[in-house]
Amino acid sequence: MSDPKKGYETDYRLITIKTSDGATVQGKVNISPNQRVSELLNLQTGTFFVMVDANYGEVQGKTLFINKEHVIWVEPEA
């Protein structure tokens, strides 16, 4: 999904995460083209990453700022 007006490319990937408090969250993360989801957590600086269209429990379609230190596992969707 590239928008030439913005001057950068977006590549949203659907993932599911499990947090240290037991919550399971499904949503999309924007990564650089040709980047793996694992690199979002391991290579990028900063404590948080952004998840959009996030769903957890009864809550749907939220934008969340997730603290990387509280992520137990990540499952990229095909």
Side-chain angles (χ1 to χ4, degrees), residues 52-71:
V52 298
D53 295 330
N55 302 313
Y56 59 98
E58 300 289 322
V59 178
Q60 295 187 0
K62 294 290 185 175
T63 298
L64 302 176
F65 294 83
I66 306 290
N67 187 325
K68 292 189 277 188
E69 294 179 10
H70 295 282
V71 174

Side-chain angles (χ1 to χ4, degrees), residues 36-61:
R36 298 178 300 193
V37 173
S38 62
E39 292 169 348
L40 172 72
L41 300 173
N42 295 324
L43 298 181
Q44 290 188 356
T45 59
T47 306
F48 294 88
F49 68 93
V50 178
M51 184 180 279
V52 298
D53 295 330
N55 302 313
Y56 59 98
E58 300 289 322
V59 178
Q60 295 187 0

Side-chain angles (χ1 to χ4, degrees), residues 4 10-11 13 18 23 35 40-41 47:
T10 58
D11 187 6
R13 303 279 178 91
K18 180 82 160 191
Q35 184 182 34
L40 172 72
L41 300 173
T47 306

